[in-house]
Structure formats: C-alpha cells, structure tokens
Amino acid sequence: MQNKECETCGGCFFRELSEEEYRQHKENDFKKTISLIKNASPHMDTPIFIKDGSRRRADMAFQYAKKQLILGFNQAETHHIVDIKMCPMLCAELNQILVSLHHFLEEFCTIPVTIKNKKKIEQCYIKTGDIRVLLADNGIDITLNISQEPCLEHRLLVAEFVNENPLICRLSWGVNNGTPETIVEKYAPQLNIAGYMINIPQDVFLQASKEAETAMINKVLEYMGNTHGKIADLFCGLGTFTRSEE
C-alpha cells in the first residue's frame, strides 16, 4: 500500500492501509457478504492477493482545456479527472507509454475537425474522450472513444504515433460508443490461451492481471478434480476457464 497520490484517484480507497490491514479488511468484507446468504456454509480457502504493478488493462479519460491535456482516472463518484504520469497498479509496459500517450493526445486534441452545422461549415476540436489500454501477450492495444469523427490529419498522427512506438501493436477508435474502427494495426494483439495464440478484438473483457487469471484457473482446475463432461463458461469473454481436451 502507499502514497498520497492515490488518495483521490479512481477507486484506490484503501491504499493508506498497511498490506496486513488491507488483507484483513477484504477478508472481513467477503465473510460479511457470504453471511447474508441463507443456509450457506461455504468453505473458504486462504485468500490470494495480487501485488502492485500487475494490472494489464486500464480505462482512462482525457480532457484538453486551456492548452493543457489531462490524462488519468476519474476521481471517485465525480467527473473530475486526476492527471497521472505513473500508476503503481499498472504493469511496467503501460506505465512506460503514459508520457508518450499524453503527448500524442495533446496533439490529437489540437487538430480541427470540419463539420456542417445547418448551412454553415464550422471547425471544432475533440477535447474529451475515453481511452482503454490493454497489454496483450505481444504488445499494447489502445482504443479511443471520442465524440466526433476525426479527420485525415488525425489518422496520419495515429500512424506516426503507433509506428514510432515499438510497444504498441494496434490503435482503434469509436465515435460515441460505436463499434471501434481499427486505424493502425502493425500486428494483431494476441493472448496465449491454453497454449494457443488467439487474436483479440477491441474492448475485450479480460481479468485485470495475468497473475489473477492464472490463480483463478488453477483454483477451478483444483475444484474440478477428475470431473469429466461438458462445461458451460457463461459470460466468459475470451474463455478464462474454458478448455477442450481430445
């Protein structure tokens, strides 16, 4: 647990606690929730906690105002964006691109977009938006959600940004929460699932950290034992627990 930078950012409410205090708090909270289930007598294994610096995905927001770009997480229960240059929860690769991503968005927001407003032709700017960053097993996938359809100059800037950054494999954008369009893809982002490299779509749901996913898979396999038969992995995203055997 650590520092005052995290007190207002996102949902890191308990980072002022020591690690032992945090673990005890989470265990007590879980036990309290389970106790609300009538006639339940669950078995509780030793909890597994994942260390800082392992989160492989993040949903962030950006805003350009008064010639300044803010990129970060929304303060809890507000629309205020807390500007960050480094997050102790994120993996090293995502932290590594935050500064260059900040500079890219700053330039992105200063490019005018020409729109038709009734009979007038006007210029506007993309000043706010959301951005999702995901560390796949072979590079970083970035998806923007913005309010206006960008222009050719935006596309050229994206191509320059992605091609100059060896960590990034793809950048896409969607307008007003629409289906994302791939703008530049040097190679398809992939995940290793049960020994197979699988191409992933934009905005895919994944467990926040590879370590947590591995721990969950191991627990499911442990509980299954020698069970045989078909398994339904509902709402599975890319199928964290799904596997097939010949």
Side-chain angles (χ1 to χ4, degrees):
M1 302 295 111
Q2 47 190 326
N3 56 40
K4 292 187 177 296
E5 295 176 0
C6 303
E7 291 180 0
T8 60
C9 182
C12 302
F13 301 112
F14 306 111
R15 295 190 64 82
E16 72 278 6
L17 300 178
S18 68
E19 184 171 341
E20 185 59 36
E21 289 174 321
Y22 174 74
R23 290 182 176 225
Q24 192 60 57
H25 172 83
K26 297 298 288 186
E27 287 188 45
N28 292 341
D29 195 44
F30 177 77
K31 290 175 181 178
K32 181 179 178 181
T33 301
I34 291 296
S35 70
L36 299 176
I37 304 174
K38 291 184 178 180
N39 302 320
S41 55
H43 167 76
M44 182 171 173
D45 283 350
T46 301
I48 299 171
F49 290 86
I50 307 300
K51 295 289 186 180
D52 286 357
S54 63
R55 190 176 181 90
R56 62 181 172 180
R57 62 175 173 83
D59 293 324
M60 309 172 76
F62 66 90
Q63 180 180 39
Y64 186 78
K66 299 180 180 180
K67 297 183 179 181
Q68 183 178 8
L69 190 284
I70 297 174
L71 170 65
F73 300 107
N74 286 330
Q75 184 176 347
E77 300 180 358
T78 76
H79 294 294
H80 173 67
I81 301 172
V82 180
D83 193 43
I84 64 166
K85 298 297 187 295
M86 191 281 292
C87 173
M89 302 297 291
L90 296 181
C91 62
E93 292 87 346
L94 294 186
N95 273 318
Q96 191 173 334
I97 68 161
L98 283 184
V99 172
S100 60
L101 187 58
H102 190 284
H103 292 320
F104 159 73
L105 289 170
E106 191 171 39
E107 189 173 352
F108 189 88
C109 291
T110 59
I111 298 174
V113 178
T114 301
I115 61 171
K116 186 175 182 181
N117 185 5
K118 295 181 180 180
K119 294 183 179 181
K120 295 182 179 180
I121 302 297
E122 299 178 348
Q123 283 190 333
C124 66
Y125 295 86
I126 300 170
K127 295 185 177 181
T128 62
D130 299 314
I131 181 167
R132 170 170 289 185
V133 289
L134 166 68
L135 178 65
D137 287 337
N138 62 336
I140 295 174
D141 188 25
I142 299 175
T143 305
L144 298 175
N145 178 48
I146 46 185
S147 58
Q148 298 282 349
E149 183 65 43
C151 65
L152 175 60
E153 194 173 346
H154 288 100
R155 292 176 181 269
L156 294 175
L157 177 63
V158 167
E160 181 182 351
F161 171 62
V162 173
N163 287 321
E164 287 183 351
N165 197 314
L167 289 175
I168 301 172
C169 56
R170 179 174 67 188
L171 192 148
S172 311
W173 66 47
V175 179
N176 291 321
N177 296 309
T179 302
E181 173 192 358
T182 297
I183 307 304
V184 176
E185 182 179 275
K186 291 188 294 191
Y187 43 88
Q190 295 182 324
L191 291 179
N192 187 325
I193 300 178
Y196 296 91
M197 296 303 292
I198 307 297
N199 293 352
I200 60 174
Q202 301 97 333
D203 284 341
V204 67
F205 173 79
L206 296 175
Q207 296 299 324
S209 73
K210 193 80 171 178
E211 293 83 352
E213 181 180 72
T214 300
M216 293 168 68
I217 291 172
N218 289 338
K219 275 298 174 185
V220 169
L221 293 175
E222 177 186 331
Y223 294 150
M224 285 174 58
N226 294 321
T227 302
H228 297 282
K230 295 182 178 180
I231 301 172
D233 189 0
L234 303 178
F235 312 107
C236 62
L238 282 183
T240 296
F241 305 118
T242 305
R243 65 172 185 163
S244 62
E245 294 182 349
E246 299 297 333

